[in-house]
Amino acid sequence: MADVANGTATGSSITPVRVAACAAAGVALYVALSRWMRSSTVTNTLLLGSEAIGAENIILRSPVEQNTAIALGNLSPICAGHAVVVPVSPVPRLAQLSTKELDDLFSTVRHTQALLRRANLATGFNLAIKDGVSADQPVDQLHVHVVPRTKGDLEHNDTIYTMIDQWHPDEGVCNTPTPVELPPDDTRVARSQQTMRDEANTYISAIKNVLLPENRGVSPSESFVAGGPFKFSDKIELDESQVFYVSPTGLAYAAVNLKPLQPGHVLVIPRRITPFSEDLSHEEYMDLWETVRHVQAIVQRVHGAAGALIGMQDGRVAGQSVPHVHVHVLPR
C-alpha cells in the first residue's frame, strides 16, 4: 500500500518469501512471550475461526479495567512476532464497538507494539484490518493485525500485504481474497487539484446531507478549529480543498489522495507531525482511530461499499514513504 497523498509510492512487485520458516520462528517466540506476559488463566473458551483460544495464545490483556480486548500469538503467524488483537466479545465490525471498546482495542494494539519493541522484534509495524466480508475478512470476528517489521526483512515490502491477505487463524488454511486490479505504481498519474476538490466536496455533501446527525465531525469551512494548515510532513502541506473531514477535537483530519490506489482511497492524518504512532499522546492516538471510523462510514456511503481495508505503515521499514503517521482507508 503506497503513500500517495503527495505522489510518493513504494514498489509493488511481489516475490515469494519463506513464510513457513518465518512462521516457525514466530511460534517459538510467542510461546516464550506468552509465558512471560500471561498473568492469569483463561477460564472461558474463545473462538477465532475454528481455533479455540487458550492461555497459550494470549500475549497480553487490555490495559484497562474492562478487559474487553486481548492480543493473541501463535495463530498461523506470517512472521516472527505477528500478533492479532481482538475484542473479547463476538464483534464482527469496527462500527459495532462502543467508544470504550474502541479505546480498549487500540490501547491493546499499542501495548502489543511496545511489547514487541522491548523484545527487539520490531523497529516498525504494519497494522491492518479487513473490516467486513467484502474486504475478505477471513473470520466473522473483528481483528487487528500487528505485524512487526525490521529493516531488510522482506526483499519487496509489498509482499507483506499478500501475506496478510492470505492469513487465516486455522492452521493450514489459506484465505483467498477476491482478485482486485490495482494499478502499478509507475502507471499512476497525479490528479488535478480540481479533481481532488470535487471528490472532497462529494464527501462533504454526504456529511451534510446524510451523515451529519450521527457524525460529530465538520468540514474545514464549518469550524475555526478545523482550519489549516494541513501539514502531511515538515515539507508537505496539503491544499485545504483536499481535506473533507476534521475531528471535533481538531487533532486529526481526512484528505483525498493525489494518486489513489482505487476510488475512495483516502488518508486519515494526525495534526501533529510524527513518523511513529508511539509518539502520539493517548488522546491523539484514540482520536485518530475514532476519526478513521467516521471517515470509513463516509467513504462507504459515497461508494456504496459494505466494508473497508484499513492499514497503517508505522515507520519507514513498514513501507511508510512520507515520515508522518497516517491511516489508509479503502472502501470495499
Side-chain angles (χ1 to χ4, degrees), residues 212-229:
L212 193 58
E214 59 191 77
N215 192 301
R216 298 172 300 138
V218 293
S219 67
S221 61
E222 293 177 316
S223 171
F224 177 78
V225 72

Side-chain angles (χ1 to χ4, degrees), residues 19-330:
V19 178
C22 189
V27 169
L29 283 162
Y30 265 107
V31 168
L33 282 171
S34 57
R35 286 174 182 166
W36 174 37
M37 290 297 296
R38 192 167 61 253
S39 60
S40 61
T41 302
V42 176
T43 57
N44 58 320
T45 300
L46 302 174
L47 291 177
L48 191 63
S50 64
E51 292 292 313
I53 305 304
E56 69 276 8
N57 298 111
I58 297 178
I59 301 164
L60 56 83
R61 299 175 184 276
S62 54
V64 295
E65 291 182 359
Q66 290 94 336
N67 281 325
T68 62
I70 53 175
L72 306 172
N74 197 14
L75 287 174
S76 305
I78 64 174
C79 68
H82 174 209
V84 179
V85 179
V86 301
V88 171
S89 59
V91 178
R93 300 298 301 274
L94 194 64
Q96 294 173 312
L97 295 177
S98 68
T99 300
K100 288 184 178 180
E101 288 171 331
L102 184 77
D103 187 300
D104 208 15
L105 181 72
F106 284 101
S107 289
T108 306
V109 167
R110 206 174 197 189
H111 281 252
T112 301
Q113 291 179 267
L115 167 65
L116 292 168
R117 287 191 199 95
R118 290 199 300 270
N120 295 318
L121 294 178
T123 54
F125 295 89
N126 287 103
L127 305 183
I129 303 172
K130 291 178 172 292
D131 196 32
V133 174
S134 62
D136 298 304
Q137 186 180 35
V139 294
D140 193 29
Q141 172 70 7
L142 175 66
H143 53 281
V144 183
H145 290 276
V146 180
V147 183
R149 301 296 305 278
T150 57
K151 185 177 181 179
D153 56 358
L154 295 174
E155 184 178 355
H156 297 284
N157 182 72
D158 282 4
T159 304
I160 199 67
Y161 307 121
T162 299
M163 296 165 72
I164 293 171
D165 279 345
Q166 296 177 347
W167 178 85
H168 194 284
D170 295 344
E171 186 176 356
V173 177
C174 180
N175 189 40
T176 306
T178 304
V180 177
E181 289 289 335
L182 295 177
D185 289 348
D186 58 1
T187 66
R188 294 207 301 275
V189 178
R191 300 190 296 169
S192 69
Q193 201 65 47
Q194 184 61 52
T195 299
M196 290 188 289
R197 181 182 294 110
D198 290 345
E199 181 186 356
N201 285 337
T202 300
Y203 300 136
I204 291 172
S205 177
I207 296 170
K208 290 179 178 179
N209 298 328
V210 180
L211 299 171
L212 193 58
E214 59 191 77
N215 192 301
R216 298 172 300 138
V218 293
S219 67
S221 61
E222 293 177 316
S223 171
F224 177 78
V225 72
F230 296 101
K231 286 185 165 290
F232 193 34
S233 71
D234 289 328
K235 298 181 179 179
I236 301 170
E237 183 173 330
L238 302 183
D239 190 282
E240 185 171 304
S241 65
Q242 285 181 254
V243 177
F244 63 89
Y245 182 94
V246 179
S247 72
T249 64
L251 295 176
Y253 64 93
V256 300
N257 254 314
L258 181 65
K259 295 181 179 181
L261 287 170
Q262 64 168 66
H265 175 195
V266 301
L267 301 179
V268 180
I269 306 167
R271 284 275 198 167
R272 188 164 64 86
I273 299 170
T274 177
F276 296 101
S277 66
E278 66 175 321
D279 297 325
L280 296 173
S281 69
H282 178 80
E283 183 183 10
E284 290 171 324
Y285 187 74
M286 293 309 159
D287 190 72
L288 176 68
W289 288 109
E290 187 65 58
T291 302
V292 166
R293 194 158 63 159
H294 285 303
V295 169
Q296 178 186 355
I298 295 166
V299 296
Q300 284 184 188
R301 170 80 65 152
V302 169
H303 293 278
L309 299 177
I310 300 169
M312 177 193 289
Q313 298 155 314
D314 200 4
R316 188 173 182 82
V317 297
Q320 181 193 72
S321 58
V322 177
H324 181 30
V325 174
H326 54 283
V327 179
H328 297 263
V329 181
L330 293 85

